[in-house]
Amino acid sequence: MKFGILKERKSPPDKRVVFSPEMLEKLKEKFPAIEIKVEASDIRIFNDSEYISKGFEVTDDISDCDVLIGVKEIPVDALIPHKKYIFFSHTIKKQPHNQKLLQAVIDKEIDLYDHETFVDEEGKRLIGFGRYAGNVGVYNAFRAFGLKYELYSLSKAETLPDKVALISRLKKMILPPIKIVLTGHGKVGMGAKEMLDAMKIKEVSVENYFSKNYNEPVYVHIDVEHYNKRKDGKAMDKTEFYKDPSAYESDFGRFSTASDMFIAGHFYGTGAPVILSADMLKSADNRIKIIADISCDIAGPIASTLRSSTIAEPFYGYHPFEEKETDMFHPAAIVVMAVDNLPCELPKDASVGFGEMFLEHIIPAFFNDDKDGVLGRSQITEGGKLTEKFSYLKDYINEKENAPHI
């Protein structure tokens, strides 16, 4: 079986790659029979010569490879028929902008696997860039704080070489005794916590967060039981909440009146209550002035996330009384950071970490007849047809004239 490492073609350019040269070397050591080609690229964080120095062929032609692995969506005209592809297709939620991509995958009889759909038997994702989104999200939150209050100036994350450099910059800041609330205990939330801990910001309990005053910055790391409550006043049952959150409402208001910064790294499930409402933000008691919405659910649980922002322009202002966007330096503005591709700002660390996960959880399935079902659960299309698991995408694919599919 021959694997090809794809050049990223999406604009704006993405410097990430699934396998660094060192990780490809480990892959070859673990599975000596594997053949690997690397598509030439002048974009990725690791240059062609680094792969060549490790003994890998770098070429413009990877059409003889069986499995083609990339990060972001592949342009339709670059898809090679009858191949196996692995990349983030962003189609499983019927995203309109990628409808033509999935239609082309069907037309070209491609077997499509998606990084996002690689899950274990319990449905938990096996790989992802969430940790690095959390890392960069925290850096950007403090960059926004410095800009808003003219306290200090941080370079853009994308201009720094790695996470170590981000932490080094953050540790040099002199911060007032602000209170920070962090949501999420998945990869994103833990990636954010990793940065706060590296900055030596003190973590405190929920009880102390509300009852004590501090002469240094502190943060509280909360989960769903802390910011949701039953409408009838009964005790919360997390298992019940995850199954059916309709009996619950937000209890985040108590944090919005006590926090200066909100770092959102939670997963927002369908039907879950709004977390930070417009009413909370316009309350005279609201204290939050910086919201780093790493989860970035547009028109979702955080009222101020009106749109996603970009690496080029990561911040915008939210006017709580008018409920609309404004200049971030407006006196009433709450600064919003809602970049939806944060790991792109940390391409080296993100690529190395992603490759480690891919080698551990995904590659073995190609050599053990997929005994754990990793590939089977992930596969979206096979030989020009949707797999049973993803048959719900049928209408999404066929939304064009005279569609011959399925």
Side-chain angles (χ1 to χ4, degrees):
M1 188 173 290
K2 186 178 289 187
F3 287 73
I5 307 303
L6 290 166
K7 167 185 177 178
E8 295 299 315
R9 291 173 164 83
K10 192 172 181 182
S11 183
D14 192 321
K15 295 181 180 181
R16 290 175 296 172
V17 64
V18 172
F19 285 111
S20 67
E22 289 75 16
M23 204 54 59
L24 268 192
E25 194 173 39
K26 291 182 181 179
L27 169 58
K28 185 69 175 176
E29 290 173 2
K30 192 169 184 179
F31 300 98
I34 198 171
E35 293 185 63
I36 303 166
K37 278 189 174 184
V38 179
E39 188 174 15
S41 170
D42 58 358
I43 294 170
R44 69 170 65 99
I45 191 66
F46 304 101
N47 61 46
D48 292 347
S49 63
E50 292 179 84
Y51 288 94
I52 293 170
S53 69
K54 296 292 185 182
F56 297 105
E57 179 182 354
V58 176
T59 176
D60 291 318
D61 182 10
I62 55 170
S63 60
D64 61 334
C65 293
D66 306 298
V67 182
L68 300 171
I69 307 174
V71 177
K72 300 301 283 287
E73 300 98 315
I74 313 297
V76 168
D77 59 2
L79 290 169
I80 305 171
H82 311 296
K83 299 292 183 181
K84 296 182 188 296
Y85 274 90
I86 305 173
F87 58 90
F88 283 107
S89 69
H90 298 295
T91 57
I92 62 172
K93 297 178 183 177
K94 302 184 179 181
Q95 290 93 322
H97 61 286
N98 284 329
Q99 181 193 32
K100 290 182 179 179
L101 171 61
L102 192 54
Q103 289 168 343
V105 165
I106 293 289
D107 288 338
K108 297 187 179 189
E109 298 185 356
I110 287 168
D111 290 359
L112 175 61
Y113 303 82
D114 194 304
H115 296 305
E116 191 174 357
T117 60
F118 283 125
V119 295
D120 63 18
E121 292 180 351
E122 297 178 354
K124 184 179 179 180
R125 285 184 61 179
L126 294 170
I127 58 175
F129 286 103
R131 174 186 178 187
Y132 307 97
N135 293 162
V136 181
V138 167
Y139 181 88
N140 284 353
F142 286 101
R143 182 167 176 259
F145 187 82
L147 287 170
K148 173 71 172 177
Y149 295 107
E150 299 181 345
L151 293 175
Y152 51 81
S153 178
L154 289 175
S155 305
K156 281 192 170 185
E158 64 175 341
T159 67
L160 301 175
D162 52 29
K163 184 176 69 177
V164 172
L166 299 190
I167 293 170
S168 176
R169 297 298 193 281
L170 291 173
K171 289 173 74 172
K172 292 177 181 177
M173 299 181 309
I174 298 175
L175 293 167
I178 58 174
K179 285 187 172 182
I180 304 157
V181 57
L182 167 65
T183 55
H185 282 72
K187 289 183 173 65
V188 174
M190 297 311 290
K193 176 177 167 55
E194 182 180 4
M195 297 297 278
L196 294 171
D197 291 342
M199 294 169 66
K200 307 298 183 185
I201 293 181
K202 183 177 182 177
E203 182 179 5
V204 299
S205 68
V206 172
E207 180 183 355
N208 287 345
Y209 191 75
F210 292 118
S211 64
K212 292 187 176 183
N213 293 318
Y214 297 89
N215 58 6
E216 62 181 317
V218 299
Y219 81 95
V220 64
H221 191 188
I222 59 175
D223 208 348
V224 292
E225 70 269 23
H226 299 118
Y227 58 87
N228 291 284
K229 61 183 178 181
R230 282 189 62 97
K231 295 174 184 177
D232 60 12
K234 294 180 180 178
M236 180 175 193
D237 183 322
K238 282 181 72 171
T239 303
E240 175 194 62
F241 176 82
Y242 286 126
K243 287 182 178 178
D244 180 13
S246 61
Y248 292 81
E249 62 185 1
S250 176
D251 193 24
F252 192 83
R254 60 192 183 129
F255 291 97
S256 66
T257 60
S259 308
D260 302 285
M261 181 186 293
F262 175 23
I263 300 172
H266 53 260
F267 171 77
Y268 181 62
T270 303
V274 164
I275 297 171
L276 180 56
S277 69
D279 286 342
M280 291 177 195
L281 289 172
K282 69 177 63 170
S283 167
D285 295 327
N286 175 58
R287 186 166 144 185
I288 295 175
K289 281 296 184 180
I290 307 291
I291 298 176
D293 189 357
I294 305 171
S295 298
C296 195
D297 294 298
I298 310 305
I302 299 174
S304 55
T305 305
L306 303 174
R307 61 174 177 87
S308 58
S309 53
T310 65
I311 291 173
E313 300 289 341
F315 312 122
Y316 59 87
Y318 173 80
H319 197 303
F321 307 110
E322 298 179 2
E323 298 183 26
K324 66 180 185 181
E325 186 174 335
T326 188
D327 185 273
M328 66 178 280
F329 296 104
H330 187 287
I334 296 166
V335 183
V336 177
M337 191 292 300
V339 177
D340 61 3
N341 58 342
L342 286 167
C344 294
E345 296 194 71
L346 204 60
K348 184 176 181 180
D349 294 80
S351 296
V352 170
F354 195 83
E356 289 175 349
M357 290 182 282
F358 202 93
L359 177 54
E360 178 183 355
H361 297 294
I362 312 305
I363 288 294
F366 286 97
F367 297 91
N368 64 16
D369 293 322
D370 194 27
K371 67 181 180 66
D372 298 315
V374 170
L375 297 176
R377 286 189 294 270
S378 170
Q379 190 167 5
I380 296 174
T381 66
E382 181 176 13
K385 294 185 177 181
L386 290 169
T387 59
E388 183 178 353
K389 180 179 178 180
F390 295 95
S391 60
Y392 68 89
L393 295 171
K394 180 178 179 180
D395 293 340
Y396 171 64
I397 290 176
N398 287 332
E399 288 176 1
K400 64 177 183 177
E401 292 183 4
N402 304 316
H405 313 303
I406 312 173

